[in-house]
């Protein structure tokens, strides 16, 4: 059973219902949340596939595709209105430095992209989820649909946002690309009903959410999923020590998600789920080191190869000899001069 303490019709107070699934309409639920209260929205909305009739494999077995009522809209105008409503609600609850991820197929992602731009969102990247094991095109009349598109956006063109650039450590120290090769959800990760059928037709692989959340949130951030389904966003967020809120209109999906997330154990500490960045490390001016007596005026410092030397002055400048004569200035300026370079990080060149 779904308990009222965790699955409620709506938030009872202005406090954020973190770690809970709100059962009901996602727009109403978002409108009931405080303004600028969420760090990230990850949305996997209905694709509006508009399937006409069943799809069969070459052996005449029926494909278990998306034919649920929640994916059906009478026309594109109705789908556009729905999209505008939930994106407007999401924009309101996002913090000014918050971010939005939305995933879709060719049926809907271009309409969503246009509408989110109309509402003021600023597209940072489009990312291709390339499925290493896509479902074949059994009719053979089109290319096999082997990818879906994610849009990553900030609240506006000048808005700050979180991007843990050094997450490239998970890509063998290469900058992370915008094409992500990840297999479809399967094996023990795929939730199934008692008869063995897929519990949800569009369950996303946890690896996809892992990559998005690790790169664009910090431990403790609040991640909201307005189309929670079977709770992939919540499961990954909990494991990565992010806080989460799920919105789901189908009580059966909410129950599955509740059981799934309850079994997830968060990683032991924030240190295990943080991506350290040199860009965020504190900067210590060289003059500060001299002022506090950590290095004294008159001390001679050298580069790591001992090819160059310089003397420290009381005002934090240094002086070195170059082919053009004495050069005095900041450690960065002198470091560049002795190397005959346009610029350099002086602390990387000169050491005592």
């Amino acid at each position: 059973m779904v308990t009222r303490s965790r699955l409620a019709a709506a938030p009872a107070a202005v406090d954020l219902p973190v770690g809970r699934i709100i059962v009901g309409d996602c727009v109403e639920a978002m409108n009931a949340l405080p303004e600028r209260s969420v760090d990230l929205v990850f949305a996997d909305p209905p694709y509006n596939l508009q399937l006409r009739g069943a799809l069969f494999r070459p052996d005449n077995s029926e494909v278990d595709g998306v034919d649920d009522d929640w994916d059906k809209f009478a026309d594109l105008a109705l789908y556009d209105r729905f999209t505008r409503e939930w994106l407007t609600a999401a924009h309101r609850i996002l913090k000014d430095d918050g971010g939005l991820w939305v995933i879709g197929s060719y049926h809907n992602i271009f309409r969503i992209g246009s509408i989110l731009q109309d509402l003021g969102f600023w597209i940072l990247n489009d990312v291709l989820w390339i499925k290493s094991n896509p479902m074949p095109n059994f009719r053979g009349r089109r290319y096999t649909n082997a990818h879906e598109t994610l849009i990553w956006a900030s609240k506006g063109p000048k808005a700050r946002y979180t991007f843990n650039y050094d997450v490239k450590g998970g890509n063998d120290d290469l900058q992370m690309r915008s094409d992500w090769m990840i297999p479809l959800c399967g094996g023990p990760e795929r939730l199934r009903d008692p008869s063995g059928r897929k519990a949800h037709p569009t369950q996303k692989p946890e690896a996809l959410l892992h990559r998005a959340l690790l790169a664009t949130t910090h431990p403790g951030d609040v991640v909201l999923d307005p189309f929670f389904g079977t709770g992939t966003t919540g499961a990954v967020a909990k494991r990565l020590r992010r806080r989460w809120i799920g919105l789901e209109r189908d009580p059966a999906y909410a129950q599955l998600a509740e059981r799934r997330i309850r079994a997830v154990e968060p990683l032991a500490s924030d240190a295990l789920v943080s991506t350290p960045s040199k860009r965020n490390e504190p900067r210590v001016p060289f003059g500060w080191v001299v002022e506090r007596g950590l290095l004294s005026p008159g001390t001679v410092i050298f580069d790591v190869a001992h090819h160059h030397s310089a003397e420290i002055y009381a005002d934090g400048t240094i002086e070195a000899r170059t082919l053009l004569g004495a050069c005095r200035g900041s450690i960065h300026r002198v470091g560049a001069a002795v190397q005959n370079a346009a610029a350099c990080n002086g602390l990387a060149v000169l050491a005592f």
Side-chain angles (χ1 to χ4, degrees):
M1 290 293 292
V2 178
T3 61
R4 293 289 297 178
S5 62
R6 292 183 61 87
L7 303 182
V14 296
D15 292 335
L16 287 178
V18 292
R20 295 173 55 199
I21 305 172
I22 309 303
V23 177
D25 179 80
C26 68
V27 175
E28 293 179 2
M30 282 191 282
N31 286 339
L33 296 177
E35 187 177 1
R36 296 185 178 91
S37 59
V38 170
D39 296 287
L40 187 79
V41 171
F42 189 98
D44 183 9
Y47 286 9
N48 192 29
L49 297 179
Q50 298 293 307
L51 295 179
R52 292 172 174 81
L55 178 62
F56 295 91
R57 298 182 178 88
D59 63 1
N60 212 36
S61 60
E62 186 173 350
V63 176
D64 186 14
V66 184
D67 57 2
D68 303 79
D69 288 341
W70 52 258
D71 193 64
K72 297 175 183 177
F73 293 79
D75 52 40
L76 292 177
L78 190 62
Y79 186 79
D80 288 352
R81 187 176 75 182
F82 164 74
T83 300
R84 186 173 294 273
E85 287 176 351
W86 77 257
L87 279 172
T88 298
H91 195 277
R92 187 189 72 84
I93 63 171
L94 273 175
K95 296 178 181 177
D96 290 338
D97 58 355
L100 169 80
W101 284 95
V102 58
I103 185 171
S105 69
Y106 69 87
H107 303 87
N108 68 332
I109 197 64
F110 302 107
R111 309 189 75 85
I112 291 174
S114 175
I115 292 170
L116 68 83
Q117 286 181 309
D118 289 343
L119 294 175
F121 285 101
W122 186 257
I123 296 178
L124 300 168
N125 272 116
D126 64 327
V127 173
L128 292 184
W129 166 31
I130 301 174
K131 305 170 184 178
S132 57
N133 56 342
M135 181 184 296
N137 188 303
F138 295 108
R139 291 176 178 169
R141 297 177 181 174
R142 303 183 187 180
Y143 297 113
T144 295
N145 296 323
H147 78 275
E148 294 183 28
T149 301
L150 298 94
I151 294 175
W152 174 40
S154 63
K155 284 192 73 172
K158 297 182 179 180
R160 297 177 64 87
Y161 55 90
T162 294
F163 180 49
N164 300 318
Y165 171 83
D166 290 306
V167 78
K168 66 182 181 180
N171 194 39
D172 293 332
D173 289 329
L174 299 175
Q175 185 175 13
M176 191 66 72
R177 292 160 50 110
S178 61
D179 50 344
W180 298 355
M181 181 77 74
I182 296 173
L184 288 166
C185 181
E189 184 183 324
R190 168 67 78 170
L191 302 185
R192 299 188 180 276
D193 63 21
S195 68
R197 289 173 59 90
K198 292 182 291 187
H200 193 290
T202 64
Q203 181 182 336
K204 296 301 182 290
E206 292 189 5
L208 190 72
L209 273 296
H210 181 103
R211 188 171 292 188
L213 297 190
L214 199 63
T216 59
T217 61
H218 299 295
D221 280 356
V222 177
V223 180
L224 180 141
D225 186 335
F227 308 99
F228 204 56
T230 53
T232 302
T233 301
V236 175
K238 182 179 177 182
R239 184 174 297 114
L240 295 179
R241 300 177 67 87
R242 276 67 171 167
R243 296 179 293 164
W244 58 271
I245 301 171
L247 311 179
E248 174 53 51
R249 74 179 193 177
D250 188 326
Y253 287 155
Q255 289 179 346
L256 285 171
E258 165 75 8
R259 290 197 296 269
R260 175 187 184 183
I261 297 170
R262 190 186 302 124
V264 172
E265 289 294 332
L267 292 171
S269 70
D270 286 351
L272 294 176
V273 294
S274 299
T275 304
S277 173
K278 292 180 180 178
R279 297 179 181 183
N280 295 328
E281 292 176 356
R283 300 181 59 138
V284 179
F286 188 71
W288 184 95
V289 177
V290 178
E291 290 171 351
R292 285 155 179 78
L294 299 176
L295 287 176
S296 302
T299 300
V300 177
I301 57 178
F302 302 84
D303 70 319
V304 291
H306 278 240
H307 291 155
H308 309 287
S309 63
E311 186 176 16
I312 298 175
Y313 284 77
D315 61 0
T317 61
I318 63 173
E319 183 176 270
R321 293 303 239 172
T322 71
L323 294 176
L324 300 178
C327 175
R328 179 173 171 177
S330 72
I331 193 170
H332 309 289
R333 180 179 167 222
V334 174
V338 298
Q339 295 182 99
N340 196 27
C344 90
N345 181 349
L347 290 177
V349 176
L350 297 170
F352 54 91

